[in-house]
Amino acid sequence: MLNFGVIRQSCRMSVTNIRSNKMRSFLTMLGIMIGVAAVIALITIIKGVTDSVMNRFSGLGADTLTISAPGTSMKTGLTDNDIALLGEVEGVSGISPTVSLMTTAVFDGTAYDKVSVEGHNTDYFRHNDILQNGRVFSEADMTGNSMVCIVDGNFVKNILLGKQVLGAKIRLRGYEYTVIGIRKESDSVMSQYTDRSDQDGAVIIPYRNALNMAGSSNVTSLEVYVDSAYDNADVEKMLRSELDQIYNNADNAYTIINMESLLSMIDQVRTLMSAMMGGIASIALLVGGIGIMNMMLVSVSERTKEIGLRKALGAEPLRIQAQFLIESIVLSVFGGLIGIVLGIFIAYIASIIMKTVFSLSMPAIALGLGFSIGVGVIFGWAPAKRASELNPIDALRSE
Amino acid sequence: MDGRTDTGSKADTEKQEAAQGGADRTANGGSRRILYMKGITKDYQLGNEVSHVLKGIDLTVNRGEFLAILGPSGSGKSTLMNIIGCLDVPTSGFYWLSGKRIADESQTSLAHIRNREIGFVFQSFQLLQKQTAYDNVELPLIYANMPARQRRERVEEMLRKVGLADRMRYYPNQLSGGQQQRVAIARAISTDPTILLADEPTGALDQKTGEQVMALFHELNGEGRTVIMITHDRHIASHAGRIVRILDGNISEGEIGDA
């Protein structure tokens, strides 16, 4: 009974109506426009912000547990034995001690005193894709405590000064190191939030060399890599019981940071924030819907005669209702589409200002569109019903 | 309140009337009698008072007739027209249209009957101002669910018939009164209804265009269409082949001279 011709005719008529009442239609659509724009913009902005944070954190690797073990007054850090014990925990695919210090590097007779040194082992390179050029440490480098190093971009720029990088000889604390690799610029959270501008450069050396350099025999910081077949939380639990034994259940001897739980926490916050902002924005949609209802009611009473005529010509009540419902939907969807474009535009500008990732959220667009159709149906229903129930005689008589 | 009041007490009468009202179709092979009314009344409640607008109308119209219902304003002729046009239902009495009893129908089936059986022509044309002549004529065909291609042929044929083939894309306000009424007539006959029902069709036209419109009615009647015209104008009524007069809710057959 509702054939395509009727729907097309209703759509065409509603467009004609909207065009012939431009100002009124615009003001009516404004509510929906603002509502949808707010929903889209807020969701997209939140998504952009959290995506940016996630991107940085995921640079650290989701399957990584970071252990910081300053130890107790009885026992500082972790020994090679302790590390070996932790490495035997089920689900651990690798462990990299992290040793960090600042020292002076000498190249070509010039000393640079702001050079950061990090000690890592081969597991580190297996789980962190940081090499740009050259090679990483081999097992032989580790066991033989080879005097090799990997330098970063700042080091190349500030210290090597355009000289041949790979094979360059630098001196650290009196020992001569050969450059075997260059690391990439990292976008991980550590490098993002570590201001390196006041450094001359950074080098990575085998971790035992770094320990020696620091004058220490125990490691206080570790990255533990979890086999992807295992759950981070389970492995974390086992590591804790191992560490508790090592430190005799002492308090505050160590902390474990689980990247996975951090990420899922961020995700939860994102969902919560989206829902909250969506809720606030839907108030605007509600107001917009009432505006549409108002305009449709006015339109029905203005067009009483037309409704009567249509009934006299054979339009069933349901068809009259459908026509006004379609008009309401066209109005709200039209406003919604403008709102979507506006919302995306606002989110785009915001992403530029806040320097976050701009990513179009398809669910948000679908939501915006769905919202506007929903508003059209819900707030168009009553006016359309009223139109369909008009008595044709009374309707025709009204002048 | 509606025709239902009769159904219990006058069940036998109804059967009898049904035989009369619907029988002609089978008796004559075709349906000579297309409209049959018996004892139609219509009451309106006005405050505490009941106003009897129609007081028992009996009326029979045969296929191909040109009937004028002549009466002054307030005589109940508009109410009668609404009942004939299935825009309203009588308080009591029987009404058969094309062998179908019109009573207690749902709004939806009344809409279908209006669409297929009745072609309305109004005094004030009642065209949709924001739609072209073509769109206006197309409207009843859309409601009849006619396929698009067929619809287009039909609309063009109808507008050609009323001499407006060159004005299809004109809007009502670009047409003269006579032209607008001809669009309305094209619209009224587009679904090929049983009855062309006109309410003061020349009331808003000057005498010359009024005559042209009446000529068109004659032409349509000549093609075998049944025309029922409601008017207060004796001169206009004189175009009809048969005149009934309505006065104070009662109807009587008569000549113009009687008025």
Side-chain angles (χ1 to χ4, degrees):
Chain A
M1 88 156 283
L2 283 178
N3 60 23
F4 184 67
V6 180
I7 294 173
R8 204 188 50 187
Q9 211 227 9
S10 296
C11 288
R12 215 176 55 198
M13 284 212 41
S14 43
V15 171
T16 314
N17 258 335
I18 290 168
R19 285 220 317 249
S20 57
N21 287 310
K22 279 196 195 72
M23 192 61 186
R24 192 169 75 184
S25 304
F26 173 75
L27 289 174
T28 305
M29 285 189 300
L30 202 61
I32 295 293
M33 259 160 62
I34 293 171
V36 170
V39 169
I40 300 277
L42 286 172
I43 290 177
T44 311
I45 289 170
I46 290 168
K47 185 174 186 295
V49 170
T50 45
D51 277 358
S52 304
V53 174
M54 298 275 243
N55 278 352
R56 290 176 191 175
F57 273 98
S58 61
L60 287 180
D63 283 335
T64 305
L65 299 174
T66 307
I67 301 177
S68 165
T72 62
S73 51
M74 310 289 292
K75 179 180 164 77
T76 310
L78 294 161
T79 63
D80 279 359
N81 263 345
D82 298 334
I83 294 170
L85 272 175
L86 294 175
E88 280 162 22
V89 166
E90 199 185 341
V92 172
S93 66
I95 292 188
S96 169
T98 307
V99 183
S100 308
L101 60 139
M102 293 294 289
T103 191
T104 302
V106 180
F107 177 71
D108 238 0
T110 317
Y112 302 87
D113 60 357
K114 280 176 291 196
V115 174
S116 88
V117 175
E118 273 179 40
H120 288 298
N121 66 7
T122 50
D123 281 354
Y124 178 82
F125 298 104
R126 257 207 300 286
H127 292 91
N128 294 283
D129 177 28
I130 62 159
L131 194 73
Q132 186 178 51
N133 240 326
R135 69 173 179 89
V136 296
F137 306 149
S138 65
E139 286 300 333
D141 289 331
M142 300 309 299
T143 48
N145 295 339
S146 305
M147 297 299 178
V148 289
C149 68
I150 294 165
V151 298
D152 75 344
N154 280 342
F155 198 99
V156 172
K157 194 171 68 195
N158 299 334
I159 300 172
L160 300 182
L161 300 168
K163 302 242 165 51
Q164 170 65 30
V165 176
L166 297 179
K169 308 279 189 207
I170 59 171
R171 274 186 170 278
L172 299 169
R173 298 269 174 101
Y175 294 95
E176 188 179 73
Y177 282 79
T178 307
V179 177
I180 58 167
I182 306 169
R183 71 173 296 171
K184 315 192 241 218
E185 288 307 313
S186 161
D187 57 358
S188 89
V189 66
M190 290 312 182
S191 52
Q192 286 278 329
Y193 293 109
T194 312
D195 187 7
R196 294 184 188 274
S197 56
D198 63 340
Q199 279 180 12
D200 293 316
V203 297
I204 300 171
I205 60 175
Y207 88 94
R208 276 200 191 77
N209 299 359
L211 274 180
N212 287 338
M213 209 179 273
S216 157
S217 58
N218 291 358
V219 176
T220 57
S221 178
L222 291 175
E223 275 183 16
V224 178
Y225 307 112
V226 179
D227 192 313
S228 55
Y230 289 82
D231 194 31
N232 279 15
D234 294 341
V235 175
E236 184 185 335
K237 212 175 288 168
M238 286 187 282
L239 287 172
R240 281 186 188 280
S241 73
E242 203 68 49
L243 285 160
D244 284 340
Q245 268 182 25
I246 292 169
Y247 290 115
N248 280 323
N249 295 316
D251 288 336
N252 305 323
Y254 65 90
T255 52
I256 298 181
I257 299 168
N258 184 343
M259 287 313 297
E260 201 179 66
S261 63
L262 205 66
L263 287 179
S264 77
M265 217 165 71
I266 294 173
D267 204 44
Q268 275 176 16
V269 171
R270 181 227 299 258
T271 312
L272 203 71
M273 266 168 60
S274 297
M276 227 169 63
M277 293 302 181
I280 293 169
S282 33
I283 294 173
L285 277 174
L286 183 77
V287 175
I290 294 168
I292 291 213
M293 187 148 142
N294 189 33
M295 163 143 176
M296 290 311 296
L297 284 171
V298 169
S299 173
V300 168
S301 42
E302 273 183 0
R303 289 155 66 193
T304 303
K305 221 171 91 178
E306 175 198 324
I307 295 162
L309 174 71
R310 286 173 180 274
K311 288 193 158 186
L313 296 182
E316 306 93 327
L318 202 62
R319 226 191 277 241
I320 298 286
Q321 191 177 354
Q323 187 196 325
F324 279 88
L325 209 53
I326 288 170
E327 289 202 26
S328 156
I329 292 170
V330 167
L331 201 64
S332 62
V333 166
F334 201 62
L337 287 176
I338 299 174
I340 287 172
V341 173
L342 202 67
I344 291 172
F345 181 71
I346 291 168
Y348 179 68
I349 300 292
S351 76
I352 292 172
I353 294 169
M354 302 196 302
K355 294 194 176 67
T356 55
V357 190
F358 172 75
S359 62
L360 224 50
S361 161
M362 277 306 160
I365 292 172
L367 195 74
L369 207 58
F371 260 141
S372 31
I373 294 173
V375 164
V377 172
I378 290 166
F379 292 95
W381 189 268
K385 190 80 189 155
R386 174 182 282 197
S388 77
E389 284 165 355
L390 280 177
N391 184 342
I393 314 165
D394 299 341
L396 270 173
R397 207 178 284 148
S398 83
E399 285 293 331
Chain B
M1 208 173 145
D2 53 35
R4 197 186 294 265
T5 43
D6 298 278
T7 50
S9 56
K10 297 184 182 172
D12 289 342
T13 326
E14 185 175 338
K15 237 178 249 169
Q16 197 187 334
E17 300 292 353
Q20 285 186 20
D24 277 5
R25 180 183 287 271
T26 41
N28 297 359
S31 57
R32 206 171 66 82
R33 176 194 284 173
I34 51 164
L35 182 149
Y36 178 68
M37 280 182 164
K38 182 84 180 163
I40 293 283
T41 68
K42 183 72 186 179
D43 299 342
Y44 284 110
Q45 189 84 33
L46 292 170
N48 290 330
E49 243 171 274
V50 176
S51 138
H52 306 284
V53 179
L54 297 179
K55 300 168 181 170
I57 303 277
D58 297 344
L59 182 65
T60 304
V61 180
N62 293 326
R63 181 173 293 281
E65 266 196 288
F66 189 162
L67 172 73
I69 299 175
L70 179 63
S73 63
S75 60
K77 65 182 189 324
S78 291
T79 305
L80 181 58
M81 182 198 135
N82 288 339
I83 290 173
I84 293 173
C86 300
L87 289 166
D88 204 352
V89 287
T91 305
S92 68
F94 306 105
Y95 174 26
W96 279 271
L97 183 62
S98 294
K100 278 185 297 231
R101 167 100 197 262
I102 311 293
D104 309 334
E105 303 280 354
S106 71
Q107 283 299 319
T108 303
S109 37
L110 283 178
H112 290 152
I113 293 164
R114 288 194 290 267
N115 185 241
R116 266 138 237 178
E117 307 288 348
I118 312 283
F120 287 98
V121 177
F122 301 94
Q123 177 174 4
S124 52
F125 323 137
Q126 301 276 21
L127 298 173
L128 296 181
Q129 295 299 315
K130 284 168 190 170
Q131 307 228 353
T132 61
Y134 181 98
D135 293 333
N136 270 287
V137 176
E138 191 185 24
L139 207 53
L141 300 173
I142 290 174
Y143 293 145
N145 292 326
M146 186 184 273
R149 182 193 296 266
Q150 221 179 315
R151 215 158 60 210
R152 198 177 66 220
E153 286 170 5
R154 184 79 186 158
V155 174
E156 286 168 2
E157 187 194 331
M158 290 302 111
L159 282 167
R160 259 199 310 277
K161 193 175 196 67
V162 298
L164 290 172
D166 55 340
R167 297 281 195 276
M168 283 192 202
R169 298 294 163 193
Y170 282 51
Y171 287 88
N173 60 14
Q174 296 168 315
L175 297 171
S176 71
Q179 287 170 330
Q180 288 187 56
Q181 194 59 304
R182 278 190 278 161
V183 172
I185 292 168
R187 179 180 66 189
I189 59 175
S190 64
T191 56
D192 200 11
T194 314
I195 294 171
L196 187 57
L197 186 59
D199 179 15
E200 304 277 9
T202 59
L205 302 174
D206 61 47
Q207 202 190 340
K208 189 163 161 264
T209 28
E211 291 297 332
Q212 287 170 357
V213 165
M214 288 319 295
L216 186 54
F217 276 120
H218 273 295
E219 190 189 326
L220 293 169
N221 179 238
E223 291 167 5
R225 271 173 226 278
T226 313
V227 180
I228 300 178
M229 184 173 67
I230 285 141
T231 182
H232 70 280
D233 184 331
R234 263 185 288 167
H235 177 68
I236 290 297
S238 70
H239 284 86
R242 176 183 155 212
I243 296 168
V244 295
R245 295 174 359 96
I246 181 166
L247 195 65
D248 200 20
N250 289 303
I251 206 161
S252 58
E253 296 279 336
E255 294 303 316
I256 307 162
D258 302 345

